[in-house]
Amino acid sequence: MPPLVSLTECIVQEVVDNGEVLAMRRCKRCPPSTSTLGCLIPFLTIHMRFIGLNKQEITWINSVLPLTSLLGPPLVGMMADRLGHYRPITIFCMLFAAILHTALLFVPSCEVSPPVEAPLTLRCNPAGAALVVDPCGNPCPQPITLEFNRTFEPKLGKGEGDDVMCYYPQQDFITDTNQYTGLTCQATPNCEVICNATEVVNGTHFLQRPQCSKVKGNPKLTLWLYFGVRGLAEMFSAILVSLLEAVALTMVHQHKGDYGREKMFGLLAVGVFSPISGYLIDNQFGTFGGYSYAPVFYVFNGLMLVTAVVTVALPIEVQVERMSLLKNITQLIHTTELSILLLLMTLLGIFWGYLKTFVYLYLEDLHASKLLLGLTLSFGIVPSLPFLYRSTAVVKYCGHHYLIMLAFLGYCIRFAGLSYIINPWWALLLESLELFTLNLMNVSAATLAYKLSPKTFVATAQALVWVSHFNIGRCIGTFVGGHLRTKYGDVPVFQGAAIVSAACAAVYLGIHHLVKYLKARQNVQPTPRSSRENGNIPNGHYTPLQVADEKF
């Protein structure tokens, strides 16, 4: 779950004297909406492994989860655009996101030991003897490679507890030169001799024994209960983020603020609260029973409460147009520039989805502490702060689309670096590239979508951008990357992803310059106006990729 935008920095107060505005100031308090979900980001995946879910189950959950919230943000965004009731819908989503995320703490855990070959024992009492093996829920294994005087059929019987065991009676067998009809052991009634049996038949196993694992708890209950609760939590969180993005963009536009500066305050809060959560987990602060991740949810609920209070005080004013919900999304998709943006966001979401799903497992396998996992977000934020503070100038100078190209290049470096590190602390340097792969890219995409969409469709447009990156892209990246990871391992997949992301950047750059070149050769006299995107461009020569690269 990516960080939310802050709303508190958008609260504008006007001092009026004799009907004239004398001053305008912003409240720059710490924005809880960002840090609320931000404190959960590094710990959700490793919490799944903590409660007993295996790699395949984690991959499946993270692949399907984006689909559970695929329709929620656009539908609720269109509803908010049509009704104009942003505040009650936002607070409602906050409440359910808090309840459902906290419920994850109480999902019952399970434990499945690594599979080992089922032991073979010889059990003998006055009534007879038998070889016994645990079928582990499978049919009893049949003897192979050997001939018997009589059919050697297993019999089912009870073992210790309620386990069903396979019994192979020892009758009509030969040792050395003697033939025996059976084997008994002189023992007191209701007592038997139990010995570990070893098979030695020319190096071939007498029975192809199954692979068994010891199971504590109910793995199916853990899997489906976690998936159900997490799916609903993700849906409400996705709706909440898209609504807050729309509100923030609208208020920044109304009060002539800076969207990147708004994001800066939000990310600053994430950088503070994520390592705090990791530190509290490492020190087991406030944990009880088996709930080792309880400190994360203490921080989460406290910040969500503050967020709700701040949202109540926000002066939210949006334009409302009473029209068909379907017409909203149809009109937006028909915008060529927005369609290109949605495609780019999907591609970037594929890389983001794989990285954010599995990088924390990878670092934990390198023995990273929970504090280190929390610090990864901080190191991804600190380099971004000065650029976000001056994001308007950065976007104006670089251009929206060159910043998106830098996001592809940033992923290339991050994936390549992760494939070579041995010490997990080196990952902190790579996380600083989130300046390009997420933070400036988010500012560029959000402001571009706002520029391209009608102002009555702000929430719908932001929801489409959100779904493209954090739902569709994340789903593809997690599903495909997870299967590749299972087959080839982390390092080869990281290296392959680095090559693919570099290729995307090169292709995108080539197409961008080709379109600019073809446009420049046209003999159409443009309307004189100034524009700059990565150097001097002839006045008025706009391409679909440049249409919104003006100052936001």
Side-chain angles (χ1 to χ4, degrees), residues 180-425:
Y180 300 92
T181 58
L183 175 66
T184 61
C185 297
Q186 298 299 322
T188 58
N190 301 321
C191 184
E192 64 179 1
V193 177
I194 302 177
C195 305
N196 292 327
T198 302
E199 304 176 34
V200 182
V201 183
N202 297 326
T204 302
H205 280 299
F206 169 60
L207 295 173
Q208 294 297 320
R209 288 174 279 166
Q211 298 287 316
C212 297
S213 299
K214 293 183 178 180
V215 179
K216 295 181 180 179
N218 189 332
K220 290 185 178 180
L221 175 64
T222 300
L223 172 64
W224 291 108
L225 184 58
Y226 183 92
F227 173 72
V229 175
R230 177 78 182 276
L232 292 173
E234 289 269 338
M235 182 183 69
F236 281 102
S237 297
I239 295 171
L240 180 60
V241 171
S242 62
L243 286 175
L244 291 177
E245 287 278 3
V247 171
L249 283 165
T250 300
M251 297 184 68
V252 166
H253 177 74
Q254 291 173 349
H255 302 292
K256 302 187 184 303
D258 189 306
Y259 179 72
R261 194 170 300 173
E262 172 70 21
K263 297 287 287 186
M264 180 197 72
F265 282 96
L267 290 173
L268 181 61
V270 176
V272 171
F273 287 100
S274 292
I276 289 177
S277 298
Y279 176 80
L280 295 176
I281 294 175
D282 282 334
N283 290 275
Q284 297 291 290
F285 177 82
T287 59
F288 55 99
Y291 304 107
S292 299
Y293 285 79
V296 177
F297 296 95
Y298 299 153
V299 177
F300 173 78
N301 287 325
L303 293 175
M304 187 64 81
L305 177 62
V306 177
T307 303
V309 173
V310 171
T311 304
V312 172
L314 284 176
I316 301 175
E317 297 179 1
V318 295
Q319 301 179 42
V320 179
E321 182 169 320
R322 309 293 182 181
M323 64 183 301
S324 169
L325 296 180
L326 182 61
K327 188 176 181 180
N328 289 24
I329 193 169
T330 303
Q331 181 173 335
L332 288 174
I333 292 178
H334 284 172
T335 305
T336 303
E337 293 84 359
L338 185 60
S339 299
I340 295 174
L341 175 62
L342 297 181
L343 175 61
L344 295 173
M345 294 302 290
T346 300
L347 292 174
L348 289 169
I350 293 174
F351 297 118
W352 182 86
Y354 178 76
L355 190 63
K356 284 303 176 185
T357 299
F358 298 109
V359 70
Y360 298 115
L361 294 177
Y362 178 66
L363 294 178
E364 193 175 51
D365 290 339
L366 293 178
H367 308 293
S369 66
K370 303 301 184 296
L371 174 60
L372 172 58
L373 297 183
L375 285 173
T376 58
L377 290 181
S378 300
F379 273 72
I381 289 169
V382 172
S384 304
L385 298 181
F387 290 91
L388 291 176
Y389 187 81
R390 300 288 297 172
S391 64
T392 298
V394 172
V395 173
K396 180 181 178 181
Y397 180 79
C398 296
H400 292 83
H401 302 285
Y402 281 93
L403 289 177
I404 294 176
M405 292 177 204
L406 286 176
F408 283 111
L409 184 60
Y411 276 120
C412 173
I413 299 174
R414 291 182 71 181
F415 283 124
L418 285 171
S419 68
Y420 287 103
I421 66 171
I422 299 176
N423 189 324
W425 286 94

Side-chain angles (χ1 to χ4, degrees), residues 102-130:
T102 305
L104 295 175
L105 182 65
F106 301 97
V107 173
S109 62
C110 65
E111 182 179 349
V112 181
S113 65
V116 295
E117 191 175 57
L120 181 67
T121 60
L122 174 66
R123 297 191 176 190
C124 185
N125 56 40

